[in-house]
Amino acid sequence: MTDADVVLVVDFGAQYAQLIARRVRECHVYSEIVPHTITAEEIRARAPKAVILSGGPSSVYAEGAPQVPAGFFDTGVPTFGICYGHQAMALALGGRVAQTGTAEYGRTGLSVVKGGGVLFEGLPVEQSVWMSHGDSVAEAPPGFTVTALTDATPVAAFQNVEAGLYGVQFHPEVLHSEQGQEVLRRFLLEAAGCRPTWTMTNVVEEQVALIREQVGSRRVICGLSGGVDSAVAAALVQKAVGDQLTCVFVDHGLLRKGEAEQVEKDFVASTGVRLHVADEVDRFMAALAGLTDPEDKRKAIGREFIRAFEEAAREISSEESVDFLVQGTLYPDVVESGGGAGTSNIKSHHNVGGLPEDLQFALVEPLRALFKDEVRAVGLELGLPEEIVWRQPFPGPGLGIRIIGEVTLERLELLREADAIAREELSKAGLDREIWQCPVVLLADVRSVGVQGDGRTYGHPVVLRPVSSEDAMTADWSRVPYDVLARISTRITNEVREINRVVLDVTSKPPGTIEWE
């Protein structure tokens, strides 16, 4: 982001690196994640306002453990070390890191000492923080002042104000750390002097300018999936270039109940966008016929989706070419698909993966730097209806990856009805904002015995997968009230006769992903 101060989060392998980046943005400061292999020269070239060293699973003194880039502390950039980053800073600057004999995991009492310094002054002297470490800083580096400790950790926080260096052993980015967000805010705004200018109004203004610069007077198409990501991306591009944009809604038959109507009516009414509808159900069913492997299904859906766009583009304009395709790629998509800090390609089916090498369009990705909550805020800023902005996340391949086994029209109809019942009951219970999403998965290749009416049945089971998350990088299963689960199960087994069993997935992410395929 060109006009905003930038904070780089150096990822040492922590599961919470993305959460740190989000917490920085909640302080209205822009952040990006970079790998620990970044060099001091690269950091200088990026000219960040501050750097945060994340936690990590290694011991800093173990062979091959990642370390702070050589020469980093000569850059003069204000730096905040968290957990492993705290220890790596101490070790690099002459402190001592050791196993004290007592590990700390979970909620831990923290005692502020010597006035607390920049990060803790005026905060409660005794507070609860979230710890996750076996090693500890036993001695602070020369020139550093210890500002907090615990019963087991003699250097739970330190600072060197003159050098602009700060560190804490606990995880301020986790909500269980009572003053964690305030500690982070103080580092960013008071210690590092970051300007809190990262707002959704500024994001909209900047992206509109960037889109106009990229597109010029040429034509753009955008695929509307019914989800919030594509809707907000399209609305941004519409605001930037107006009638140069045509939205393409590919009806592939893999959407949830009522979504096609929402795209064709609600979104068009709120934005005035030009919409081209392509009925491609038969095409997608033919491409998916006989496929049961998840990767094969994802790739087939992605391939046909792009080909449908190419054909739609030719229909939209036979005289003037369409040069750009809008994608609703988000920052977690970039990170999980290998564009972040040393991650693997987890999501081959997602926006940033699985595109054909001969793609005919240049990509416009106005949401590429945003987390999901920021996308929703941008949608509200643009005036989109709340029914669109607050819809549950939905995967690009749609219900195609929520059917375990071959995808057929009959199975899609079963899943659509079961999914609609689950969503309706969760909404009635007022759980829409509490639950990140609730995939309903049809185990199409599984038959379970049941009794419906006076006879024995061999129907399909469905799985409810309600999860709570902030950005989909990690997730926990949602504790849905039993009475709500009972209503969902009763209605599905009563109203969708081919389904005779409803089960609940209680797996967190990790180890499980949110989607089953």
Side-chain angles (χ1 to χ4, degrees), residues 63 117 128 159 180 184 191 195 214 230 294 335 385 394 411 421 449 461:
E63 183 178 355
S128 178
Q159 68 176 28
L184 183 59
R195 298 169 299 163
Q214 179 184 7
S230 65
V335 174
F394 192 57
R411 290 174 171 182
I421 290 169
V449 66

Side-chain angles (χ1 to χ4, degrees), residues 202-444:
N202 291 342
V203 169
V204 170
E205 292 174 351
E206 184 172 63
Q207 281 303 315
V208 165
L210 290 173
I211 293 166
R212 287 172 178 166
E213 180 181 354
Q214 179 184 7
V215 171
S217 59
R218 289 171 289 181
R219 300 285 299 281
V220 190
I221 62 171
C222 175
L224 288 178
S225 66
V228 63
D229 301 341
S230 65
V232 174
L236 264 175
V237 176
Q238 169 78 5
K239 183 176 179 67
V241 299
D243 286 345
Q244 292 168 237
L245 169 69
T246 300
C247 285
V248 177
F249 172 53
V250 177
D251 187 356
H252 48 33
L254 305 174
L255 293 177
R256 293 177 291 186
K257 189 174 182 178
E259 288 181 324
E261 293 78 8
Q262 186 179 60
V263 170
E264 294 189 55
K265 297 177 182 177
D266 297 349
F267 183 76
V268 172
S270 64
T271 62
V273 73
R274 296 196 299 179
L275 181 65
H276 176 94
V277 179
D279 184 351
E280 299 285 0
V281 175
D282 292 342
R283 174 191 195 135
F284 278 82
M285 291 301 101
L288 288 167
L291 298 184
T292 58
D293 181 80
E295 278 296 308
D296 291 342
K297 289 195 288 185
R298 293 180 187 121
K299 290 175 181 177
I301 294 169
R303 180 185 65 245
E304 297 305 320
F305 206 68
I306 291 299
R307 298 307 178 214
F309 272 124
E310 293 173 340
E311 293 177 12
R314 288 192 288 270
E315 293 180 28
I316 290 168
S317 177
S318 58
E319 298 180 358
E320 189 176 6
S321 64
V322 175
D323 298 303
F324 295 95
L325 169 64
V326 180
Q327 284 265 81
T329 309
L330 306 190
Y331 196 46
D333 302 336
V334 175
V335 174
E336 289 202 359
S337 300
T343 53
S344 60
N345 188 3
I346 299 171
K347 293 186 176 180
S348 64
H349 69 276
H350 224 300
N351 292 331
V352 293
L355 295 178
E357 294 181 0
D358 60 344
L359 181 67
Q360 297 180 9
F361 311 113
L363 294 180
V364 178
E365 298 176 299
L367 310 180
R368 190 179 178 87
L370 302 182
F371 289 98
K372 177 71 77 171
D373 58 331
E374 294 170 326
V375 172
R376 296 190 196 280
V378 167
L380 294 174
E381 181 75 20
L382 292 168
L384 292 181
E386 289 197 2
E387 293 76 17
I388 292 177
V389 170
W390 288 104
R391 284 196 57 229
Q392 290 186 2
F394 192 57
L399 298 180
I401 60 167
R402 292 184 178 175
I403 294 176
I404 309 302
E406 184 182 5
V407 179
T408 67
L409 288 174
E410 293 76 14
R411 290 174 171 182
L412 282 167
E413 194 56 35
L414 291 181
L415 181 54
R416 237 189 298 274
E417 292 301 320
D419 175 86
I421 290 169
R423 286 189 291 140
E424 181 181 336
E425 291 299 330
L426 290 173
S427 294
K428 284 182 180 178
L431 297 174
D432 285 340
R433 300 289 177 91
E434 294 182 27
I435 296 176
W436 172 264
Q437 60 175 304
C438 183
V440 178
V441 182
L442 177 67
L443 304 184

Side-chain angles (χ1 to χ4, degrees), residues 86-101:
H86 169 67
Q87 297 172 10
M89 180 188 295
L91 188 63
L93 295 173
R96 186 167 65 89
V97 179
Q99 289 186 336
T100 60

